[in-house]
Structures are given as C-alpha cells and as structure tokens.
Amino acid sequence: MKTNYKLIQIKPLIGPHGAEIGEVNLQDEMSDATFAEIHQAFLQYKIIVFRNQDIDYQKHIDFGKRFGKLFVHPFVAPIQKYPELIRLLKKPNDLINNGGALHFDLTFLEEPPKASILRLIDVPETGGDTIFNCMYSAYDALSASMKKYLEGLRGLHTSAQLFGPTGFYRNNKSKTSMIQIPNKKEYITTHPLVRTNPETGRKGLFINPMYVEKIMDVPIREGNHILEFLYNHCAKAEFSTRVSWKKDTITMWDNRSAMHHAINDYQGQHREGIRITIEGTRPY
Ligand code: SIN
C-alpha cells in the first residue's frame, strides 16, 4: 500500500489503526489529488481524524459524496432539509447516548454502510471520547483452529434489538434526545462472521453485539458461547484506539473493519454531533 503522502500530513494515533490528517481544510474546494491521498489514508488507517473543521452541512455532505452514495437512516430523524444528516445529541438530563456500546453501524441492512463521518459541534468539558476497535487485529489474533471454525458461518443481524417495539431505544425513550422516525419495519439479514474488505482484501471479524441475535446453523447455546467469546476478544484494549474530540473535530471510520463505542462518561454535560453515512456493499 502506498504510504507516500505529499499533500496531507499524517500523524498516526496510538493503537492498531487511526491517524490525524493535517494540512486539509474541508471547507475549501478539494483537488482530486488531495482527495486521492485522503482516500488512501482512509484505507490504510481506517480511522481518520481532522481537527478544526468548522464546515457547513453542505460541505460535510459534499465531502462524504466523494467516497460514495450517502445513506438515509431508516430510524433516526434527519436534520431538516438534509435527509442524509442525523444529529447525535446527548443533553445534560439524558441518561443514554447514541452508540454507547461496541458496534458496527447498521449491520441489519443487506448492504451495511462502508463508513460514517461525524463532526462534533459541541463537546463536554471532560469525557465523551470514542473508542475504535480494529477487527483486522482481532481476527489476526485468533487461533488457527478458531479461524477455521468461523469459516463460512453467518450471523443473524436484526434491527429489532435496538429499534423494534421491545428494543433498547423504544424502552429508553425518556432517557434520550434522539428522535426516531415511526418505522415499524424489521430489517433482518445474515452476514459472514468474517468479512473481506473489498477495497483492501483484508479479513476481519464482522460480529456486532448491538444487532446480532445468533449464529446461523449452530446449536443456540454453542452459538451464544462463541459470540460471548468473540465479543470479549474484540473488546480487548490492545485492539483499540481512542479519539478525544474537540469542537469541530471530524472523524471518519471504516465501518467494515472497525467497531466503535461512544463512551457515556459525561453525565450532566452536552455533546452534539452531525453524522453522515456512506453506502456500502454486501459483505463476503
Ligand atoms: C455512533 O455513531 O455510533 C456514535 C459515535 C460517537 O458519538 O462518537
């Protein structure tokens, strides 16, 4: 992979993935050459962080569109006039936040998003970091026999666990400022437990504590034990990178190779962000 960046600055983060990108102002017109380096950095580092990006909604959308088609969230209300933008908001009295446990975004879809781009416009004085765990590293660290066991197995992903009538958000409505769209549809699909990134060819674990109900075609108790093992394994500190936000930090994550966890450790404070999500392809 090309690692010779001429137009942008790269400062790797601590951990298995992630880099801060300097020398870029996303409010300015971006040349194809600069975009090509940012795209390269995204594939190489998976988590890319831009500081001091006081951009407007349209620029946020325009930047996302350079990576692919933008996606409209099936359950979270969009920002008025911008169907592709959602607000991630925790007010001081809210008790839960968005994305407060390790997960990939929206894997109940047949074609889950390839990436998300989040800009925080208000940050708590302390806390509110996001942890990103590298699922390539988690896969690489498995034993050969576990890799063999997982080969060909698929997980059942469903939106019901979070957004269904008895799901987490429906049952905690009074604890969050997130506004849900009335959508009764249950999205349900299966994906391989190990997926290959179509752009890099790398293999990573593709499980999801938020949406996976079971492993297909194995006895339920066995599947639950395997999932529990994998969830504990994926959450290990050595696979993680931490992003500490400031106002107008933008972070883009590869939703095929990194799970993330927005840490809810700033009770009584305000945190607010604007997110877009880029369409992906069917995992294999
Ligand atoms: C999310 O998109 O799941 C939340 C990320 C964050 O707020 O840091």
Side-chain angles (χ1 to χ4, degrees), residues 2-284:
K2 178 189 157 201
T3 53
N4 183 18
Y5 297 97
K6 293 197 175 78
L7 302 169
I8 61 174
Q9 258 179 17
I10 302 279
K11 186 173 160 223
L13 299 177
I14 294 169
H17 55 185
E20 280 201 22
I21 309 288
E23 297 294 323
V24 175
N25 182 347
L26 298 178
Q27 186 65 29
D28 294 343
E29 287 307 311
M30 186 184 290
S31 69
D32 289 345
T34 300
F35 175 71
E37 290 202 359
I38 291 175
H39 187 235
Q40 198 59 48
F42 166 67
L43 293 180
Q44 183 178 357
Y45 292 99
K46 283 82 77 185
I47 316 299
I48 50 174
V49 180
F50 304 85
R51 301 290 186 185
N52 301 313
Q53 302 291 335
D54 181 13
I55 60 171
D56 56 39
Y57 291 163
Q58 194 53 51
K59 280 287 172 190
H60 193 157
I61 289 171
D62 294 345
F63 178 58
K65 279 186 175 165
R66 297 202 69 158
F67 291 90
K69 210 165 157 220
L70 298 191
F71 167 90
V72 176
H73 201 295
F75 293 109
V76 178
I79 290 179
Q80 247 195 350
K81 297 198 205 126
Y82 296 94
E84 308 98 336
L85 294 184
I86 57 168
R87 192 182 301 283
L88 302 186
L89 170 63
K90 181 171 185 260
K91 290 185 181 168
N93 288 332
D94 292 346
L95 293 173
I96 60 170
N97 65 336
N98 301 99
L102 209 55
H103 67 287
F104 286 107
D105 290 327
L106 303 160
T107 57
F108 50 78
L109 299 168
E110 288 190 4
E111 297 184 341
K114 95 168 167 188
S116 293
I117 306 177
L118 174 64
R119 169 177 161 240
L120 283 204
I121 57 174
D122 196 3
V123 293
E125 219 160 88
T126 53
D129 290 357
T130 305
I131 287 176
F132 294 90
N133 277 38
C134 178
M135 292 303 107
Y136 296 151
S137 306
Y139 176 73
D140 290 347
L142 291 173
S143 67
S145 45
M146 179 53 79
K147 285 180 184 158
K148 194 148 193 264
Y149 176 84
L150 297 178
E151 228 175 79
L153 288 180
R154 302 179 73 84
L156 183 77
H157 298 236
T158 160
S159 57
Q161 302 208 154
L162 228 63
F163 297 105
T166 56
F168 179 76
Y169 283 130
R170 201 63 67 85
N171 277 288
N172 285 290
K173 233 178 173 168
S174 61
K175 298 183 189 158
T176 170
S177 294
M178 186 181 72
I179 303 168
Q180 254 185 262
I181 296 166
N183 177 2
K184 290 207 169 81
K185 182 167 170 178
E186 181 183 349
Y187 296 81
I188 187 158
T189 191
T190 68
H191 295 305
L193 297 185
V194 177
R195 84 173 283 188
T196 303
N197 183 321
E199 290 186 277
T200 62
R202 280 198 74 175
K203 276 185 177 183
L205 278 172
F206 198 62
I207 53 171
N208 195 340
M210 274 200 190
Y211 298 124
V212 170
E213 196 177 288
K214 63 175 186 176
I215 301 178
M216 305 295 287
D217 305 320
V218 301
I220 191 80
R221 275 163 62 86
E222 177 180 322
N224 286 345
H225 283 297
I226 294 291
L227 284 174
E228 194 188 334
F229 162 76
L230 292 175
Y231 292 153
N232 286 329
H233 175 73
C234 288
K236 281 184 181 165
E238 56 266 42
F239 306 140
S240 83
T241 295
R242 200 171 170 125
V243 171
S244 291
W245 301 82
K246 292 190 172 59
K247 183 178 173 333
D248 293 322
T249 296
I250 290 182
T251 300
M252 174 172 185
W253 58 88
D254 188 327
N255 196 51
R256 304 161 296 191
S257 70
M259 283 207 274
H260 57 286
H261 173 179
I263 304 170
N264 187 10
D265 60 353
Y266 53 97
Q267 196 55 42
Q269 301 185 71
H270 188 110
R271 184 181 187 273
E272 185 169 350
I274 309 290
R275 194 184 92 184
I276 57 172
T277 306
I278 298 152
E279 286 186 0
T281 51
R282 190 137 181 74
Y284 59 86

